[in-house]
Amino acid sequence: MLAPERRPEPLTSPAAATVFTMVLTQGPVSRVEIARRTGLSSAAVTKAARPFIEAGYLEELEATERSGPGAGRPASPLAIRPDREFFGGVKITGDELIGVVTDLRAQVLTSARRPLTDFAVESVVADIAALVADLLAASPAYGQRCHSLGLAVSGDVDRAAGDVRYSPFLSWRQVPLARLVARATGLSVTVENDVKALTVAEQWFGEGIGAPSFALVTLGVGIGCGLVVNNEVVAGSHGVAGEIGHIPVNGEGPACHCGGRGCVEAVAGTAPILRAARAATGDPALTIDGAIAAAHAGDEAVMAVFARAGHAIGLAMAAMANLVGPERIIVTGDVAGLASYGLFEEAITSAFAGQAFGAAADCRLILRPRPFEQWARGAAAVAIQTLFTL
């Protein structure tokens, strides 16, 4: 692998961050339009854009003619040069690592997977370093122009410190993951909760573009939620804002791994659904795929299990909508979660409509299938965000 190029440092002010982010997420866009949307003066926009152009992150496209009364000189839109820098992203699951390399627009260029056989921190860090080395070796350009790596992991993450405070699926507590992986890879490392990372990708590069307020709900092993309010991802004072999976919907319900009882996740996560389906059918060998197939085939007992799960999810989404008032809710998840969605969609929407207050019930629900590589893309999006925001 070739030695990495030295990265220029064009980000020098909040105005620079604002201008670059707008071109990145909404471009190509002219300086005049940037000034109109941001309230910056034309001179301030030009000053902010200049170092990005000189460093090769932005380029001026061919001027486009203006028309209409008062039309001035032709505008030269600013656009991103997506291959100016590359970013690594790794999603850490309970059994494997999924890694990607993306360009500046978070478009996945290459991906790879690596199984996890040991949850010991040292072993996982070594596996991450090996996976990243394989990914960057796919192209000389990746090795030269990749300086940043994002890591996405479920649980309680302190992004500012780079620590995993608690990850239930890895049985980790107080792990300084960013520091350990930075030492092992030589890259700048950002660690984020996986759902918040996916939310950043949606905000900057997906369904959240242009929406000042939205929520992302993930279905699968856990029930997660990322929140954007007034164009900012909400972390909360302790970094755990949006944890709708741990909203209690039944005080007498099953125990949750968090220590609570009756949490949404304890009712509607993949493992609780499977346990309930096995109990309903009397089949201890039933798999989640088998449970989904049985429900689709009309097994009333299994259908009731999914209905209860959907009702719990709908109540939690309504509670979140009542508190936050998002413009839209994007629902996504792993394969099992999305395969299940059709089974409890009616229960979700019914519970949501019945519990949402007033206009909160008008919130638009969007279903977005997403493979696991997209979680790794979310990690890369966080690395991009870290580099280009102040």
Side-chain angles (χ1 to χ4, degrees), residues 93-124:
T93 77
D95 54 12
E96 67 175 341
L97 303 174
I98 302 100
V100 299
V101 173
T102 77
D103 63 16
L104 261 170
R105 290 201 183 102
Q107 296 300 305
V108 175
L109 303 174
T110 189
S111 65
R113 295 188 175 208
R114 189 180 185 91
L116 281 183
T117 56
D118 186 348
F119 289 170
V121 173
E122 297 80 3
S123 177
V124 174

PDB file of all heavy atoms in Angstrom, residues 93-124:
ATOM      1  N   THR A  93     -20.931  -5.997  13.912  1.00  0.00           N
ATOM      2  CA  THR A  93     -22.124  -6.716  14.341  1.00  0.00           C
ATOM      3  C   THR A  93     -21.719  -7.762  15.384  1.00  0.00           C
ATOM      4  O   THR A  93     -20.553  -7.852  15.786  1.00  0.00           O
ATOM      5  CB  THR A  93     -22.823  -7.424  13.167  1.00  0.00           C
ATOM      6  OG1 THR A  93     -22.100  -8.610  12.820  1.00  0.00           O
ATOM      7  CG2 THR A  93     -22.892  -6.513  11.947  1.00  0.00           C
ATOM      8  N   GLY A  94     -22.675  -8.578  15.788  1.00  0.00           N
ATOM      9  CA  GLY A  94     -22.386  -9.613  16.767  1.00  0.00           C
ATOM     10  C   GLY A  94     -21.634 -10.791  16.204  1.00  0.00           C
ATOM     11  O   GLY A  94     -21.129 -11.623  16.967  1.00  0.00           O
ATOM     12  N   ASP A  95     -21.514 -10.884  14.873  1.00  0.00           N
ATOM     13  CA  ASP A  95     -20.815 -12.042  14.311  1.00  0.00           C
ATOM     14  C   ASP A  95     -19.874 -11.720  13.161  1.00  0.00           C
ATOM     15  O   ASP A  95     -19.136 -12.593  12.712  1.00  0.00           O
ATOM     16  CB  ASP A  95     -21.819 -13.102  13.851  1.00  0.00           C
ATOM     17  CG  ASP A  95     -22.860 -12.550  12.891  1.00  0.00           C
ATOM     18  OD1 ASP A  95     -22.693 -11.425  12.398  1.00  0.00           O
ATOM     19  OD2 ASP A  95     -23.858 -13.257  12.646  1.00  0.00           O
ATOM     20  N   GLU A  96     -19.864 -10.472  12.667  1.00  0.00           N
ATOM     21  CA  GLU A  96     -18.959 -10.146  11.572  1.00  0.00           C
ATOM     22  C   GLU A  96     -18.724  -8.648  11.490  1.00  0.00           C
ATOM     23  O   GLU A  96     -19.413  -7.841  12.122  1.00  0.00           O
ATOM     24  CB  GLU A  96     -19.519 -10.656  10.247  1.00  0.00           C
ATOM     25  CG  GLU A  96     -20.773  -9.956   9.785  1.00  0.00           C
ATOM     26  CD  GLU A  96     -21.230 -10.408   8.400  1.00  0.00           C
ATOM     27  OE1 GLU A  96     -20.419 -10.974   7.647  1.00  0.00           O
ATOM     28  OE2 GLU A  96     -22.402 -10.181   8.060  1.00  0.00           O
ATOM     29  N   LEU A  97     -17.718  -8.307  10.700  1.00  0.00           N
ATOM     30  CA  LEU A  97     -17.433  -6.919  10.341  1.00  0.00           C
ATOM     31  C   LEU A  97     -17.829  -6.731   8.888  1.00  0.00           C
ATOM     32  O   LEU A  97     -17.522  -7.570   8.047  1.00  0.00           O
ATOM     33  CB  LEU A  97     -15.947  -6.607  10.502  1.00  0.00           C
ATOM     34  CG  LEU A  97     -15.310  -6.846  11.871  1.00  0.00           C
ATOM     35  CD1 LEU A  97     -13.799  -6.625  11.786  1.00  0.00           C
ATOM     36  CD2 LEU A  97     -15.926  -5.927  12.917  1.00  0.00           C
ATOM     37  N   ILE A  98     -18.510  -5.625   8.588  1.00  0.00           N
ATOM     38  CA  ILE A  98     -18.833  -5.262   7.209  1.00  0.00           C
ATOM     39  C   ILE A  98     -18.128  -3.942   6.934  1.00  0.00           C
ATOM     40  O   ILE A  98     -18.336  -2.960   7.658  1.00  0.00           O
ATOM     41  CB  ILE A  98     -20.340  -5.116   6.973  1.00  0.00           C
ATOM     42  CG1 ILE A  98     -21.075  -6.404   7.309  1.00  0.00           C
ATOM     43  CG2 ILE A  98     -20.624  -4.736   5.534  1.00  0.00           C
ATOM     44  CD1 ILE A  98     -21.723  -6.400   8.652  1.00  0.00           C
ATOM     45  N   GLY A  99     -17.267  -3.917   5.910  1.00  0.00           N
ATOM     46  CA  GLY A  99     -16.488  -2.726   5.624  1.00  0.00           C
ATOM     47  C   GLY A  99     -16.707  -2.207   4.218  1.00  0.00           C
ATOM     48  O   GLY A  99     -16.996  -2.971   3.296  1.00  0.00           O
ATOM     49  N   VAL A 100     -16.566  -0.891   4.059  1.00  0.00           N
ATOM     50  CA  VAL A 100     -16.689  -0.261   2.746  1.00  0.00           C
ATOM     51  C   VAL A 100     -15.648   0.838   2.612  1.00  0.00           C
ATOM     52  O   VAL A 100     -15.109   1.345   3.596  1.00  0.00           O
ATOM     53  CB  VAL A 100     -18.095   0.368   2.522  1.00  0.00           C
ATOM     54  CG1 VAL A 100     -19.190  -0.683   2.591  1.00  0.00           C
ATOM     55  CG2 VAL A 100     -18.360   1.498   3.515  1.00  0.00           C
ATOM     56  N   VAL A 101     -15.368   1.181   1.361  1.00  0.00           N
ATOM     57  CA  VAL A 101     -14.681   2.430   1.018  1.00  0.00           C
ATOM     58  C   VAL A 101     -15.656   3.239   0.186  1.00  0.00           C
ATOM     59  O   VAL A 101     -16.272   2.709  -0.749  1.00  0.00           O
ATOM     60  CB  VAL A 101     -13.383   2.183   0.230  1.00  0.00           C
ATOM     61  CG1 VAL A 101     -12.798   3.503  -0.263  1.00  0.00           C
ATOM     62  CG2 VAL A 101     -12.365   1.447   1.085  1.00  0.00           C
ATOM     63  N   THR A 102     -15.806   4.515   0.529  1.00  0.00           N
ATOM     64  CA  THR A 102     -16.708   5.386  -0.216  1.00  0.00           C
ATOM     65  C   THR A 102     -15.951   6.602  -0.732  1.00  0.00           C
ATOM     66  O   THR A 102     -14.838   6.904  -0.288  1.00  0.00           O
ATOM     67  CB  THR A 102     -17.880   5.895   0.644  1.00  0.00           C
ATOM     68  OG1 THR A 102     -17.420   6.945   1.521  1.00  0.00           O
ATOM     69  CG2 THR A 102     -18.497   4.775   1.467  1.00  0.00           C
ATOM     70  N   ASP A 103     -16.612   7.300  -1.654  1.00  0.00           N
ATOM     71  CA  ASP A 103     -16.082   8.586  -2.079  1.00  0.00           C
ATOM     72  C   ASP A 103     -16.674   9.688  -1.202  1.00  0.00           C
ATOM     73  O   ASP A 103     -17.336   9.415  -0.195  1.00  0.00           O
ATOM     74  CB  ASP A 103     -16.349   8.821  -3.568  1.00  0.00           C
ATOM     75  CG  ASP A 103     -17.834   8.882  -3.915  1.00  0.00           C
ATOM     76  OD1 ASP A 103     -18.677   9.053  -3.002  1.00  0.00           O
ATOM     77  OD2 ASP A 103     -18.170   8.769  -5.111  1.00  0.00           O
ATOM     78  N   LEU A 104     -16.452  10.930  -1.608  1.00  0.00           N
ATOM     79  CA  LEU A 104     -16.918  12.068  -0.805  1.00  0.00           C
ATOM     80  C   LEU A 104     -18.438  12.165  -0.727  1.00  0.00           C
ATOM     81  O   LEU A 104     -18.979  12.812   0.169  1.00  0.00           O
ATOM     82  CB  LEU A 104     -16.366  13.371  -1.396  1.00  0.00           C
ATOM     83  CG  LEU A 104     -15.134  13.962  -0.724  1.00  0.00           C
ATOM     84  CD1 LEU A 104     -14.579  15.099  -1.559  1.00  0.00           C
ATOM     85  CD2 LEU A 104     -15.464  14.456   0.677  1.00  0.00           C
ATOM     86  N   ARG A 105     -19.135  11.537  -1.649  1.00  0.00           N
ATOM     87  CA  ARG A 105     -20.601  11.544  -1.616  1.00  0.00           C
ATOM     88  C   ARG A 105     -21.144  10.309  -0.905  1.00  0.00           C
ATOM     89  O   ARG A 105     -22.332  10.029  -0.981  1.00  0.00           O
ATOM     90  CB  ARG A 105     -21.168  11.612  -3.046  1.00  0.00           C
ATOM     91  CG  ARG A 105     -20.945  12.953  -3.738  1.00  0.00           C
ATOM     92  CD  ARG A 105     -21.955  13.103  -4.872  1.00  0.00           C
ATOM     93  NE  ARG A 105     -21.739  14.334  -5.613  1.00  0.00           N
ATOM     94  CZ  ARG A 105     -21.138  14.397  -6.805  1.00  0.00           C
ATOM     95  NH1 ARG A 105     -20.700  13.291  -7.371  1.00  0.00           N
ATOM     96  NH2 ARG A 105     -20.983  15.545  -7.417  1.00  0.00           N
ATOM     97  N   ALA A 106     -20.278   9.572  -0.268  1.00  0.00           N
ATOM     98  CA  ALA A 106     -20.653   8.347   0.448  1.00  0.00           C
ATOM     99  C   ALA A 106     -21.197   7.277  -0.492  1.00  0.00           C
ATOM    100  O   ALA A 106     -21.998   6.442  -0.079  1.00  0.00           O
ATOM    101  CB  ALA A 106     -21.648   8.636   1.574  1.00  0.00           C
ATOM    102  N   GLN A 107     -20.745   7.290  -1.728  1.00  0.00           N
ATOM    103  CA  GLN A 107     -21.090   6.214  -2.652  1.00  0.00           C
ATOM    104  C   GLN A 107     -20.120   5.057  -2.431  1.00  0.00           C
ATOM    105  O   GLN A 107     -18.899   5.259  -2.442  1.00  0.00           O
ATOM    106  CB  GLN A 107     -21.009   6.697  -4.106  1.00  0.00           C
ATOM    107  CG  GLN A 107     -22.018   7.785  -4.428  1.00  0.00           C
ATOM    108  CD  GLN A 107     -23.454   7.323  -4.204  1.00  0.00           C
ATOM    109  OE1 GLN A 107     -23.884   6.309  -4.760  1.00  0.00           O
ATOM    110  NE2 GLN A 107     -24.190   8.047  -3.377  1.00  0.00           N
ATOM    111  N   VAL A 108     -20.657   3.860  -2.227  1.00  0.00           N
ATOM    112  CA  VAL A 108     -19.823   2.700  -1.928  1.00  0.00           C
ATOM    113  C   VAL A 108     -19.051   2.285  -3.182  1.00  0.00           C
ATOM    114  O   VAL A 108     -19.640   2.024  -4.237  1.00  0.00           O
ATOM    115  CB  VAL A 108     -20.677   1.532  -1.404  1.00  0.00           C
ATOM    116  CG1 VAL A 108     -19.819   0.285  -1.218  1.00  0.00           C
ATOM    117  CG2 VAL A 108     -21.352   1.916  -0.083  1.00  0.00           C
ATOM    118  N   LEU A 109     -17.728   2.211  -3.051  1.00  0.00           N
ATOM    119  CA  LEU A 109     -16.861   1.848  -4.165  1.00  0.00           C
ATOM    120  C   LEU A 109     -16.387   0.401  -4.075  1.00  0.00           C
ATOM    121  O   LEU A 109     -16.173  -0.253  -5.093  1.00  0.00           O
ATOM    122  CB  LEU A 109     -15.648   2.788  -4.211  1.00  0.00           C
ATOM    123  CG  LEU A 109     -15.996   4.276  -4.307  1.00  0.00           C
ATOM    124  CD1 LEU A 109     -14.735   5.111  -4.187  1.00  0.00           C
ATOM    125  CD2 LEU A 109     -16.725   4.586  -5.604  1.00  0.00           C
ATOM    126  N   THR A 110     -16.182  -0.079  -2.884  1.00  0.00           N
ATOM    127  CA  THR A 110     -15.810  -1.474  -2.667  1.00  0.00           C
ATOM    128  C   THR A 110     -16.254  -1.871  -1.271  1.00  0.00           C
ATOM    129  O   THR A 110     -16.422  -1.017  -0.394  1.00  0.00           O
ATOM    130  CB  THR A 110     -14.288  -1.687  -2.828  1.00  0.00           C
ATOM    131  OG1 THR A 110     -14.000  -3.087  -2.808  1.00  0.00           O
ATOM    132  CG2 THR A 110     -13.507  -1.014  -1.717  1.00  0.00           C
ATOM    133  N   SER A 111     -16.474  -3.168  -1.073  1.00  0.00           N
ATOM    134  CA  SER A 111     -16.931  -3.647   0.226  1.00  0.00           C
ATOM    135  C   SER A 111     -16.336  -5.025   0.498  1.00  0.00           C
ATOM    136  O   SER A 111     -15.911  -5.728  -0.423  1.00  0.00           O
ATOM    137  CB  SER A 111     -18.463  -3.711   0.284  1.00  0.00           C
ATOM    138  OG  SER A 111     -18.966  -4.665  -0.627  1.00  0.00           O
ATOM    139  N   ALA A 112     -16.313  -5.399   1.772  1.00  0.00           N
ATOM    140  CA  ALA A 112     -15.803  -6.711   2.167  1.00  0.00           C
ATOM    141  C   ALA A 112     -16.361  -7.045   3.546  1.00  0.00           C
ATOM    142  O   ALA A 112     -16.800  -6.162   4.293  1.00  0.00           O
ATOM    143  CB  ALA A 112     -14.271  -6.713   2.199  1.00  0.00           C
ATOM    144  N   ARG A 113     -16.331  -8.332   3.869  1.00  0.00           N
ATOM    145  CA  ARG A 113     -16.808  -8.809   5.167  1.00  0.00           C
ATOM    146  C   ARG A 113     -15.727  -9.686   5.798  1.00  0.00           C
ATOM    147  O   ARG A 113     -14.929 -10.295   5.106  1.00  0.00           O
ATOM    148  CB  ARG A 113     -18.110  -9.603   5.017  1.00  0.00           C
ATOM    149  CG  ARG A 113     -19.273  -8.771   4.517  1.00  0.00           C
ATOM    150  CD  ARG A 113     -20.575  -9.543   4.581  1.00  0.00           C
ATOM    151  NE  ARG A 113     -21.709  -8.707   4.220  1.00  0.00           N
ATOM    152  CZ  ARG A 113     -22.940  -8.894   4.663  1.00  0.00           C
ATOM    153  NH1 ARG A 113     -23.202  -9.889   5.499  1.00  0.00           N
ATOM    154  NH2 ARG A 113     -23.919  -8.099   4.305  1.00  0.00           N
ATOM    155  N   ARG A 114     -15.773  -9.720   7.119  1.00  0.00           N
ATOM    156  CA  ARG A 114     -14.807 -10.532   7.863  1.00  0.00           C
ATOM    157  C   ARG A 114     -15.519 -11.089   9.086  1.00  0.00           C
ATOM    158  O   ARG A 114     -16.085 -10.320   9.873  1.00  0.00           O
ATOM    159  CB  ARG A 114     -13.601  -9.686   8.269  1.00  0.00           C
ATOM    160  CG  ARG A 114     -12.442 -10.480   8.864  1.00  0.00           C
ATOM    161  CD  ARG A 114     -11.296  -9.549   9.223  1.00  0.00           C
ATOM    162  NE  ARG A 114     -10.134 -10.277   9.691  1.00  0.00           N
ATOM    163  CZ  ARG A 114      -9.154 -10.710   8.916  1.00  0.00           C
ATOM    164  NH1 ARG A 114      -9.209 -10.471   7.617  1.00  0.00           N
ATOM    165  NH2 ARG A 114      -8.127 -11.364   9.426  1.00  0.00           N
ATOM    166  N   PRO A 115     -15.514 -12.413   9.289  1.00  0.00           N
ATOM    167  CA  PRO A 115     -16.225 -12.970  10.444  1.00  0.00           C
ATOM    168  C   PRO A 115     -15.536 -12.627  11.764  1.00  0.00           C
ATOM    169  O   PRO A 115     -14.308 -12.462  11.812  1.00  0.00           O
ATOM    170  CB  PRO A 115     -16.179 -14.482  10.183  1.00  0.00           C
ATOM    171  CG  PRO A 115     -14.994 -14.675   9.291  1.00  0.00           C
ATOM    172  CD  PRO A 115     -14.909 -13.445   8.446  1.00  0.00           C
ATOM    173  N   LEU A 116     -16.330 -12.509  12.806  1.00  0.00           N
ATOM    174  CA  LEU A 116     -15.799 -12.328  14.154  1.00  0.00           C
ATOM    175  C   LEU A 116     -15.958 -13.641  14.907  1.00  0.00           C
ATOM    176  O   LEU A 116     -17.062 -14.157  15.035  1.00  0.00           O
ATOM    177  CB  LEU A 116     -16.578 -11.232  14.905  1.00  0.00           C
ATOM    178  CG  LEU A 116     -16.258  -9.773  14.599  1.00  0.00           C
ATOM    179  CD1 LEU A 116     -17.098  -8.876  15.500  1.00  0.00           C
ATOM    180  CD2 LEU A 116     -14.782  -9.478  14.799  1.00  0.00           C
ATOM    181  N   THR A 117     -14.850 -14.149  15.394  1.00  0.00           N
ATOM    182  CA  THR A 117     -14.914 -15.393  16.165  1.00  0.00           C
ATOM    183  C   THR A 117     -14.619 -15.154  17.636  1.00  0.00           C
ATOM    184  O   THR A 117     -14.765 -16.056  18.450  1.00  0.00           O
ATOM    185  CB  THR A 117     -13.914 -16.422  15.610  1.00  0.00           C
ATOM    186  OG1 THR A 117     -12.596 -15.848  15.612  1.00  0.00           O
ATOM    187  CG2 THR A 117     -14.280 -16.795  14.176  1.00  0.00           C
ATOM    188  N   ASP A 118     -14.204 -13.936  17.962  1.00  0.00           N
ATOM    189  CA  ASP A 118     -13.802 -13.610  19.325  1.00  0.00           C
ATOM    190  C   ASP A 118     -14.218 -12.180  19.620  1.00  0.00           C
ATOM    191  O   ASP A 118     -13.925 -11.276  18.839  1.00  0.00           O
ATOM    192  CB  ASP A 118     -12.280 -13.771  19.453  1.00  0.00           C
ATOM    193  CG  ASP A 118     -11.779 -13.602  20.878  1.00  0.00           C
ATOM    194  OD1 ASP A 118     -12.549 -13.137  21.734  1.00  0.00           O
ATOM    195  OD2 ASP A 118     -10.606 -13.942  21.117  1.00  0.00           O
ATOM    196  N   PHE A 119     -14.927 -11.947  20.726  1.00  0.00           N
ATOM    197  CA  PHE A 119     -15.373 -10.612  21.083  1.00  0.00           C
ATOM    198  C   PHE A 119     -14.350  -9.844  21.917  1.00  0.00           C
ATOM    199  O   PHE A 119     -14.601  -8.704  22.309  1.00  0.00           O
ATOM    200  CB  PHE A 119     -16.689 -10.676  21.863  1.00  0.00           C
ATOM    201  CG  PHE A 119     -17.870 -11.074  21.020  1.00  0.00           C
ATOM    202  CD1 PHE A 119     -19.080 -11.370  21.621  1.00  0.00           C
ATOM    203  CD2 PHE A 119     -17.782 -11.148  19.641  1.00  0.00           C
ATOM    204  CE1 PHE A 119     -20.183 -11.734  20.860  1.00  0.00           C
ATOM    205  CE2 PHE A 119     -18.869 -11.511  18.866  1.00  0.00           C
ATOM    206  CZ  PHE A 119     -20.074 -11.811  19.490  1.00  0.00           C
ATOM    207  N   ALA A 120     -13.215 -10.447  22.219  1.00  0.00           N
ATOM    208  CA  ALA A 120     -12.178  -9.736  22.963  1.00  0.00           C
ATOM    209  C   ALA A 120     -11.783  -8.481  22.191  1.00  0.00           C
ATOM    210  O   ALA A 120     -11.621  -8.511  20.965  1.00  0.00           O
ATOM    211  CB  ALA A 120     -10.964 -10.630  23.172  1.00  0.00           C
ATOM    212  N   VAL A 121     -11.636  -7.373  22.906  1.00  0.00           N
ATOM    213  CA  VAL A 121     -11.383  -6.083  22.251  1.00  0.00           C
ATOM    214  C   VAL A 121     -10.152  -6.150  21.359  1.00  0.00           C
ATOM    215  O   VAL A 121     -10.172  -5.692  20.206  1.00  0.00           O
ATOM    216  CB  VAL A 121     -11.244  -4.972  23.308  1.00  0.00           C
ATOM    217  CG1 VAL A 121     -10.814  -3.668  22.637  1.00  0.00           C
ATOM    218  CG2 VAL A 121     -12.538  -4.787  24.072  1.00  0.00           C
ATOM    219  N   GLU A 122      -9.061  -6.720  21.857  1.00  0.00           N
ATOM    220  CA  GLU A 122      -7.819  -6.778  21.084  1.00  0.00           C
ATOM    221  C   GLU A 122      -8.020  -7.541  19.785  1.00  0.00           C
ATOM    222  O   GLU A 122      -7.489  -7.164  18.733  1.00  0.00           O
ATOM    223  CB  GLU A 122      -6.706  -7.430  21.911  1.00  0.00           C
ATOM    224  CG  GLU A 122      -6.318  -6.669  23.168  1.00  0.00           C
ATOM    225  CD  GLU A 122      -7.283  -6.902  24.324  1.00  0.00           C
ATOM    226  OE1 GLU A 122      -8.231  -7.717  24.164  1.00  0.00           O
ATOM    227  OE2 GLU A 122      -7.103  -6.262  25.371  1.00  0.00           O
ATOM    228  N   SER A 123      -8.795  -8.626  19.845  1.00  0.00           N
ATOM    229  CA  SER A 123      -9.045  -9.431  18.658  1.00  0.00           C
ATOM    230  C   SER A 123      -9.878  -8.677  17.642  1.00  0.00           C
ATOM    231  O   SER A 123      -9.588  -8.696  16.430  1.00  0.00           O
ATOM    232  CB  SER A 123      -9.743 -10.733  19.053  1.00  0.00           C
ATOM    233  OG  SER A 123     -10.053 -11.504  17.917  1.00  0.00           O
ATOM    234  N   VAL A 124     -10.918  -7.978  18.106  1.00  0.00           N
ATOM    235  CA  VAL A 124     -11.776  -7.220  17.192  1.00  0.00           C
ATOM    236  C   VAL A 124     -10.999  -6.084  16.549  1.00  0.00           C
ATOM    237  O   VAL A 124     -11.127  -5.826  15.343  1.00  0.00           O
ATOM    238  CB  VAL A 124     -13.024  -6.685  17.926  1.00  0.00           C
ATOM    239  CG1 VAL A 124     -13.837  -5.775  17.007  1.00  0.00           C
ATOM    240  CG2 VAL A 124     -13.880  -7.830  18.433  1.00  0.00           C
TER     241      VAL A 124
END
